[in-house]
Amino acid sequence: MYVHTPTPSQEPKKLVRSAFFISDGTAITAETLGKSLLSQFADVEFDIQVIPYVDTVELAREAVGRINQAYKNTNLLPLVFDTIVSDEIREVINTATACNLDIYEGLITRIATEINHKPNPHAGMAHSNVDSDDYKARIDAVHFALDNDDGARITHYDGADIILVGLSRSGKTPTSLYLALQYGIRAANYPLTEEDLDTSSLPQALKAHKHKLFGLTIDTERLVRIRQERKAGSRYASLAQCQAEQQAIQAIYSTQKIPNLNVSEMSVEEIATRILQMTGLKRRIGM
């Protein structure tokens, strides 16, 4: 029986849908929650537009114009995720030809009903109090991560909550920064180089802080692809080199009993969450 196989040009294309994240503040909340929800629809491609600081009726009307234009271009209702506090501004946004998904309105109403207390809405309140202890702890942690990135400084490890170790290009830097920014955790990171791996033991700088070490691992094929993007055709990015480094670092993790995590298929958010779960580290800042 003949079975027709579509040529590449005949392969079904992913559906493209416009999605807007709108806020009277930074739009971080709308974008974070919105993207989390949209990630459940892997077969759909989203054209994402972020519109922050929509804090006047005029700016709301401009946003509506952009949303309506997206509808005209695609003939599909755009998805609009907003965290607008002002009723007046929200009403303008809701006039757009779109599927309006107000993140705050329904939730705040339910919370108010449950606790029998009226909300006191204020634009930007979710990210206010920049002089708070949480804010200072966050900034301090970010500075610590930057100062102690990639083994740049090894004399401040006494102040680290955790020291991430792993091969070059295994995701240590973004994970350190995410731990600092989201949880206020003082994370340093140290790349185990070929010289370190040849000794099959920990570098001297790490031995006194063994209890703070956490290893990141990554599949060899993925490591090769990442390194090829950085230094194509080099020995550093070759399959043989990556395989040798992988074997050596796994031996160090095993003999030194360093907890570790394969991060090949994880986002930085997932990596950070798993690290906290596996180590028992407590976040220094609130939500």
Side-chain angles (χ1 to χ4, degrees):
M1 181 176 66
Y2 173 75
V3 178
H4 173 67
T5 301
T7 62
S9 61
Q10 294 175 308
E11 291 288 350
K13 294 182 178 179
K14 280 190 175 182
L15 178 66
V16 178
R17 196 71 174 255
S18 295
F20 289 81
F21 303 132
I22 302 175
S23 176
D24 46 18
T26 62
I28 291 174
T29 301
E31 184 176 2
T32 301
L33 292 177
K35 284 185 175 178
S36 177
L37 293 169
L38 295 183
S39 69
Q40 306 303 309
F41 303 93
D43 294 333
V44 182
E45 182 178 338
F46 294 98
D47 176 21
I48 290 174
Q49 298 186 48
V50 181
I51 311 179
Y53 300 112
V54 180
D55 52 7
T56 67
V57 170
E58 291 73 20
L59 291 174
R61 288 172 180 155
E62 290 179 13
V64 168
R66 290 174 60 177
I67 297 167
N68 289 344
Q69 186 60 52
Y71 171 68
K72 291 179 182 178
N73 293 342
T74 64
N75 202 33
L76 295 170
L77 288 177
L79 305 178
V80 177
F81 299 85
D82 81 75
T83 52
I84 301 292
V85 173
S86 165
D87 291 337
E88 182 182 20
I89 294 174
R90 191 188 315 117
E91 286 175 4
V92 174
I93 294 296
N94 287 342
T95 64
T97 306
C99 175
N100 292 292
L101 303 162
D102 185 280
I103 294 174
Y104 278 172
E105 186 175 26
L107 293 176
I108 288 178
T109 299
R110 289 192 63 183
I111 293 170
T113 300
E114 175 62 29
I115 67 176
N116 193 29
H117 193 85
K118 291 184 178 180
N120 183 25
H122 181 273
M125 185 174 286
H127 303 285
S128 62
N129 300 323
V130 295
D131 292 325
S132 69
D133 290 341
D134 274 5
Y135 181 81
K136 292 175 182 177
R138 188 193 308 272
I139 297 303
D140 176 66
V142 169
H143 283 312
F144 185 90
L146 291 171
D147 288 343
N148 294 274
D149 180 46
D150 214 24
R153 299 170 70 179
I154 59 174
T155 57
H156 295 81
Y157 287 172
D158 285 340
D161 296 315
I162 189 171
I163 304 170
L164 301 181
V165 294
L167 300 178
S168 171
R169 315 310 293 178
S170 58
K172 300 180 299 301
T173 295
T175 302
S176 297
L177 289 171
Y178 190 88
L179 286 168
L181 187 61
Q182 294 297 320
Y183 303 122
I185 289 174
R186 295 162 64 92
N189 74 80
Y190 189 101
L192 294 175
T193 65
E194 188 174 1
E195 181 180 349
D196 297 324
L197 297 171
D198 285 342
T199 66
S200 298
S201 63
L202 291 175
Q204 192 63 37
L206 299 180
K207 288 182 178 179
H209 307 285
K210 181 180 172 181
H211 62 291
K212 295 183 179 181
L213 302 184
F214 189 94
L216 301 186
T217 67
I218 184 171
D219 292 342
T220 302
E221 293 76 11
R222 182 169 177 79
L223 181 62
V224 169
R225 290 198 301 271
I226 294 172
R227 289 187 175 184
Q228 285 288 351
E229 292 176 1
R230 183 175 178 83
K231 292 184 178 180
S234 66
R235 174 176 173 272
Y236 163 80
S238 68
L239 177 61
Q241 178 65 22
C242 290
Q243 286 177 329
E245 290 185 23
Q246 292 278 43
Q247 292 174 358
I249 200 169
Q250 288 294 346
I252 290 177
Y253 288 159
S254 177
T255 59
Q256 300 296 323
K257 295 181 171 53
I258 298 172
N260 57 88
L261 177 67
N262 188 317
V263 301
S264 301
E265 303 299 327
M266 293 185 180
S267 66
V268 67
E269 296 91 342
E270 292 172 314
I271 297 168
T273 302
R274 287 291 301 276
I275 288 174
L276 263 63
Q277 180 185 45
M278 293 174 68
T279 62
L281 275 176
K282 302 301 181 184
R283 60 190 304 158
R284 289 178 178 269
I285 59 177
M287 296 296 291

